Each structure stands twice: as C-alpha cells, then as structure tokens.
Amino acid sequence: FRRRELSVGEMVEGIVKGDVTILSQAVTLIESVNPDHQAKAQEVINKCLPYSGKSVRIGISGVPGAGKSTSIDEFGVHLLKEKGGRLAVLAIDPSSERTKGSILGDKTRMEKLAIHPDSFIRPSPSAGSLGGVARKTRETIILCEAAGFDKIFVETVGVGQSETACHSMVDFFLLIQVAGTGDELQGIKRGIMEIADGIVINKCDGDNVDRCQMAATNFRNALHFFPMPESGWTPKVLCYSGFYGTGVKEVWDMIYEYFDFVKANGYFDYRRNEQSKYWMYETINEQLRLNFYHNPQIREQLQLAEQSVLLGQKTSFVAAQDLLEIYYRDNVITK
Ligand code: GDP
C-alpha cells in the first residue's frame, strides 16, 4: 500500500514534535527535483523557521583519509555524553553529482552514531551544482533544528570550493589535518586557513605523536602571518586521535570556549545575520542561473555561441552579451 502524503501542516507538526521519520520525508522533499515537491518543501521550511536557530552549527572539513568519519563518530558520542541534546550530521559533497551518491555522512562510516538514539545522519544531497547542494544542506539544518537537534555537524571534503559553502552556514569551522604526509605546509591553502576557527591534527597516536606536535607548531607559526579574524578569536591548533579518543575533550573545550567568546562579543549573532543575507543572494543567483540555462532558446543557442568563441568569430564577452540579449527579450515577452 502507498503511504498517504502528509500535508504541509502535518509535516510541520511532526517535525516540531521531533519525529525523525517525518523529518526524513521533509528532507527528501528538499532534495527532490520535482517542482511540486520543492514548492511544498519551501512551505514546510518557512513554517519551521520560527522553531529553528537554537543550535550550534559546526563545519568539519579535511582531505579524504584525514579521519573525518572516524572523528565525527568520536566527537558526536563525546558531545552527546557531555552536553546531552540531539545531534544531526549533514554533509556537502558536490562531487556526489558525478559519483551518483555521496559517501559523506554515510551512516556506515559512523558506527557508533548510527545506532545512537539522539543522532540523525543524512548524506549529502546529490543533485545539482555546489550552490544547489549547499542550499539544500542549509535548508535541512533549519528542519533539523525545528525537530530539536541542537547540535549540527556539516561535513565537507577539504578539496576546494565546498569549504567556503560550508563556512557560510556554520558557527565554527573545524579543519582536520594530518601530519607526516610531508606536505602539511603545502596543505595550508590560504583560503582554507583563513576560514578555519580551529585546526586539529588527527592521528596523534603511536609513533606519530612527535610528528603531529611538530606539525602543530608549524601551523601555529603559519597562523601568525594571517590577519586577525573578524571574530576577534585567534584560531587554535590542537592534536588529538579520533581513533583512540585522546585529546577529543580538549578539542571540544576549545570549541565551546569559542562559543562563549563570540556569544559575549556579539559576533555569533552577527555571523548568522551575515549568513542569512548571503543565502538570500545565493538563492537569487542560483535561481537566475538555472532560469537562464533552462531557457529553451538559450539551450538552442548555447552550443553555437560556444563554437563561435572557439573559432574566434566572437569574443567571449560579445557571445555572452548576445545570449543575454536573447534571454532578456524572451523574458520580457513571457513574463
Ligand atoms: P575520512 O575519509 O576523512 O572520512 O577518513 P576516515 O575516518 O575514513 O579515516 C581514514 C583512515 O584513517 C582509516 O583507515 C582510519 O582508521 C584511519 N584513522 C582515522 N582516525 C585515526 C586516528 O586517530 N589514528 C589513526 N592511527 N588512524 C586513524
């Protein structure tokens, strides 16, 4: 038999009651490409908005193999034990578009959290551009908060643009590094170091301890060359082992020290307001972009325009202008 579809009201009621099955259904609507589902999702999100916001949102990033899933499992269990509440683990993985299905946030990678009664794990939405994927994760945060999840982890792979997207929706951005790869200083990619509120060096266990401590010193020195962040908080560098759980308490003491600091100086609320603004503009940009590329006339002309640029018949600028002209004309007539 087919389950009856819940109305917007029923969904909101279920979410606010903390019903995880209904929460999952609503997230599926957010992720759907069906315009009716999307419209319904937007209504649900809007109605959940007043119940959202009362959480701490933490971004966790690191290159593949850095130990994100091992650490998140350990961090999550630690945090729930120490602070109580409920934890949602979400992810942004735009590469999942290519690989059809994200591995980030996969339940099987987080064995302890997967069976924890107070956790909710949801893999990255897999369809669309980075902007689209990130927006869906952000909307999922709102629903999770409305459902009573007061701790949110957003996992992302430390290989590019997705950190910036992740940073734009979290209160604290944690960068997981590993030592001993010989390229830790090369790993100090400018853009990423600048958005990290904390840098943690994982796998500080066994005969790796000295190397980790050396790497930590290098990172601390490197941080001196960056300007003071807007928050007024100087990022800290700590070593830990996600596998053995050592140093995990110190990592979380540091993160909560940060929250105390930015809640006291007003930066916590300031950052959230800036993020809300950012997401309004992001949504406009994304919608305009989609609208442009889905326009039938543009779809028809795009290849030709590309060819004429490649053949040197038009400059990139003129080709773009010509396409935009077609788009404007079409939109003046149809809208
Ligand atoms: P992810 O790709 O960033 O999610 O990394 P994983 O959590 O899957 O870990 C990659 C590998 O590193 C796995 O073989 C883990 O067992 C190992 N690993 C993760 N954390 C630690 C740690 O603290 N110490 C050691 N020695 N190995 C670890």
Side-chain angles (χ1 to χ4, degrees):
F1 85 110
R2 280 194 63 199
R3 207 174 337 148
R4 185 180 65 85
E5 246 187 60
L6 296 178
S7 69
V8 169
E10 286 168 331
M11 272 202 164
V12 175
E13 198 187 311
I15 292 169
V16 172
K17 271 196 204 144
D19 185 322
V20 174
T21 310
I22 295 180
L23 171 65
S24 293
Q25 287 173 19
V27 176
T28 303
L29 285 184
I30 290 181
E31 290 172 357
S32 169
V33 289
N34 175 327
D36 291 342
H37 291 170
Q38 286 189 4
K40 189 170 173 185
Q42 288 308 321
E43 274 187 69
V44 173
I45 296 163
N46 227 9
K47 290 211 159 74
C48 282
L49 201 57
Y51 303 99
S52 74
K54 295 174 220 70
S55 71
V56 285
R57 305 167 184 166
I58 295 141
I60 299 178
S61 177
V63 295
K68 291 180 296 302
S69 39
T70 312
S71 303
I72 289 175
D73 208 24
E74 193 63 33
F75 287 165
V77 170
H78 170 85
L79 200 55
L80 289 170
K81 186 164 154 258
E82 293 297 312
K83 306 271 179 192
R86 300 175 95 193
L87 168 69
V89 180
L90 313 176
I92 304 174
D93 181 11
S95 67
S96 57
E97 192 185 1
R98 260 178 288 124
T99 53
K100 292 285 173 234
S102 165
I103 53 155
L104 283 194
D106 187 341
K107 285 186 181 37
T108 56
R109 293 165 65 237
M110 297 158 196
E111 289 171 10
K112 287 177 266 182
L113 278 184
I115 52 166
H116 199 293
D118 298 316
S119 84
F120 175 73
I121 302 175
R122 185 86 187 188
S124 172
S126 61
S129 61
L130 170 60
V133 169
R135 178 178 54 78
K136 289 171 186 183
T137 303
R138 183 174 149 89
E139 290 174 346
T140 303
I141 292 179
I142 296 172
L143 298 193
C144 289
E145 289 176 353
F149 288 90
D150 61 342
K151 296 168 185 70
I152 314 278
F153 288 175
V154 181
E155 180 185 9
T156 192
V157 184
V159 287
Q161 283 295 309
S162 46
E163 287 92 352
T164 318
C166 177
H167 180 256
S168 67
M169 64 183 79
V170 298
D171 307 311
F172 187 97
F173 188 77
L174 186 72
L175 181 60
I176 299 182
Q177 295 277 3
V178 276
T181 53
D183 64 352
E184 51 260 19
L185 286 178
Q186 192 191 334
I188 307 180
K189 294 192 214 108
R190 267 200 99 79
I192 300 181
M193 283 282 280
E194 276 167 359
I195 59 173
D197 300 298
I199 296 172
V200 286
I201 299 163
N202 188 23
K203 310 194 187 185
C204 185
D205 46 49
D207 55 11
N208 204 26
V209 172
D210 288 347
R211 240 174 298 161
C212 288
Q213 273 158 2
M214 188 118 74
T217 306
N218 288 341
F219 277 114
R220 283 188 198 107
N221 290 338
L223 278 170
H224 289 308
F225 294 104
F226 293 102
M228 180 63 133
E230 229 183 335
S231 57
W233 164 268
T234 312
K236 294 208 162 57
V237 183
L238 296 174
C239 295
Y240 77 106
S241 166
F243 193 81
Y244 294 101
T246 47
V248 166
K249 182 185 181 302
E250 286 73 11
V251 171
W252 285 93
D253 286 350
M254 182 254 290
I255 294 173
Y256 273 81
E257 191 192 326
Y258 169 88
F259 287 136
D260 287 343
F261 182 82
V262 292
K263 281 182 178 170
N265 76 4
Y267 181 77
F268 187 91
D269 291 330
Y270 168 80
R271 179 154 157 178
R272 285 212 172 171
N273 286 337
E274 288 296 305
Q275 289 173 339
S276 297
K277 267 198 320 206
Y278 169 86
W279 280 98
M280 187 186 85
Y281 289 109
E282 265 301 295
T283 307
I284 293 172
N285 295 345
E286 178 76 4
Q287 286 299 319
L288 286 175
R289 204 180 63 79
L290 287 179
N291 200 265
F292 177 81
Y293 286 107
H294 286 172
N295 181 296
Q297 296 202 41
I298 295 298
R299 288 168 84 133
E300 236 179 70
Q301 297 294 324
L302 208 55
Q303 289 295 326
L304 293 172
E306 205 180 293
Q307 279 304 317
S308 46
V309 170
L310 292 178
L311 293 172
Q313 293 163 345
K314 278 183 188 177
T315 66
S316 315
F317 182 77
V318 168
Q321 285 298 326
D322 288 351
L323 287 171
L324 286 165
E325 267 314 312
I326 295 172
Y327 177 73
Y328 294 147
R329 235 182 291 139
D330 192 46
N331 277 276
V332 170
I333 298 162
T334 58
K335 299 226 162 138

